Amino acid sequence: MSDLQSLRAAIGSFRDDGLSIALVPTMGALHAGHMALIEEAKRRADRVVASIFVNPRQFAPNEDLDAYPRKEKADAAMLEEAGCALLWLPDVAAMYPAGFATNVSVSGVTDGLDGAARPGHFDGVATVVSKLFNQVRPDVALFGEKDYQQLAVIRRMAIDLDMGLEVLGVPTQREEDGLALSSRNAYLSPEEREAARALPRALGDAARAIAGGGDVAEALAKAVASLEKAGFGPIDYISLNDAETLAPMKTLARPARLLAAARMGRTRLIDNLPIEPSQ
Ligand code: PAF
């Protein structure tokens, strides 16, 4: 469905029947990570709405908007098979009609990490996600923890703007060798794909060292060295941050997240792991 009037009618009829609604926003090229969101959404609400919209406002001019994989037919079949009640597929003109002039910008949690590496990215995300929330009016919306900073931004925005819905994070789905599932993994050559498993390994090693009381700076430096050795570069960041505010941490004093972004060839990969301080 791609026009707002039909979407509103369909949502209205779910509401008339007293049904709760979960929204899974995506940019398509669906994989098992997205399907885990759909499965969790089915547990959380009576009807699941998925959206597919490759949002131009969250890509910088030098990024992969044009190359971003588009597989709408296969995606629609996967969603139907999984029991998704409705697919919302707006086009760019429907999402951003002529004269569109609003920007949603969240500060604080966007200060570092991808907020610094991809200026404007989270404004694009917050703006489109606000629109999706207003269009679908879900009770709960689900996002993957692989995009951990994005999840933090959307949580902050939903609280700050009294959006009245639950924002739920779902753990990252991984390949057997640990690589986080991502639509962008499709860009990797077989050699790059093999080398990319160094990313979850480096994060895992650093997370274990830090959780075991090791020096944070030393663990991060080791992780950088092992990523470089595997062929990653440039490394945008590998950083220990507060799990909620995303403020950088030099020691493990509170629940934390270890986050990384690095390039393997032309593919930018991100990943993160939780770290809890011992009692
Ligand atoms: O994570 C994504 O796929 C996108 O950033 C989202 C949340 C659908 C907004 O365009």
Side-chain angles (χ1 to χ4, degrees):
M1 169 173 307
S2 18
D3 73 288
L4 191 52
Q5 237 182 339
S6 310
L7 176 76
R8 290 229 194 273
I11 298 288
S13 94
F14 294 154
R15 292 300 186 192
D16 290 345
D17 292 342
L19 301 172
S20 59
I21 297 171
L23 172 65
V24 178
T26 82
M27 297 204 301
L30 302 181
H31 49 65
H34 297 110
M35 301 325 282
L37 298 179
I38 300 287
E39 288 308 314
E40 187 57 35
K42 286 198 300 192
R43 288 189 277 276
R44 299 286 174 154
D46 300 315
R47 291 290 178 271
V48 177
V49 177
S51 64
I52 297 179
F53 180 65
V54 182
N55 174 32
R57 292 175 74 99
Q58 68 187 77
F59 290 80
N62 62 333
E63 292 184 342
D64 57 339
L65 174 62
D66 293 335
Y68 200 83
R70 286 164 170 85
K71 302 181 175 174
E72 275 160 22
K73 254 192 169 171
D75 290 345
M78 278 168 82
L79 290 168
E80 193 176 340
E81 167 84 22
C84 177
L86 200 156
L87 171 57
W88 172 225
L89 250 179
D91 62 17
V92 175
M95 193 59 95
Y96 301 121
F100 186 86
T102 297
N103 186 53
V104 180
S105 191
V106 179
S107 49
V109 283
T110 55
D111 282 351
L113 307 169
D114 267 22
R118 303 180 68 189
H121 169 67
F122 287 121
D123 282 13
V125 170
T127 302
V128 83
V129 172
S130 312
K131 291 205 59 150
L132 291 166
F133 286 176
N134 285 331
Q135 289 161 349
V136 177
R137 311 238 164 135
D139 300 285
V140 55
L142 296 93
F143 299 86
E145 287 185 348
K146 190 197 61 104
D147 296 283
Y148 192 80
Q149 191 175 17
Q150 166 174 282
L151 177 62
V153 169
I154 294 167
R155 280 204 166 115
R156 189 72 260 160
M157 174 186 82
I159 292 168
D160 290 353
L161 299 183
D162 305 314
M163 287 176 157
L165 81 168
E166 185 188 0
V167 175
L168 197 73
V170 174
T172 303
Q173 303 294 305
R174 296 180 180 279
E175 303 276 11
E176 246 172 53
D177 65 359
L179 184 68
L181 296 190
S182 164
S183 306
R184 289 188 167 102
N185 293 352
Y187 300 152
L188 297 167
S189 70
E191 297 72 31
E192 289 169 343
R193 168 64 191 82
E194 177 68 19
R197 63 188 184 161
L199 179 56
R201 270 196 197 169
L203 276 177
D205 290 346
R208 271 187 297 279
I210 294 168
D215 182 72
V216 172
E218 205 173 290
L220 298 182
K222 260 194 184 164
V224 167
S226 65
L227 290 181
E228 283 172 348
K229 191 164 170 222
F232 275 96
I235 296 162
D236 284 349
Y237 56 81
I238 173 149
S239 175
L240 185 73
N241 293 61
D242 183 286
E244 197 188 321
T245 65
L246 292 186
M249 291 167 77
K250 288 199 164 85
T251 56
L252 183 63
R254 298 177 302 284
R257 209 84 191 179
L258 183 64
L259 303 106
R263 219 166 265 275
M264 171 56 71
R266 68 187 179 107
T267 309
R268 186 174 186 272
L269 298 176
I270 61 172
D271 200 351
N272 67 84
L273 288 176
I275 312 182
E276 293 288 331
S278 50
Q279 305 306 323

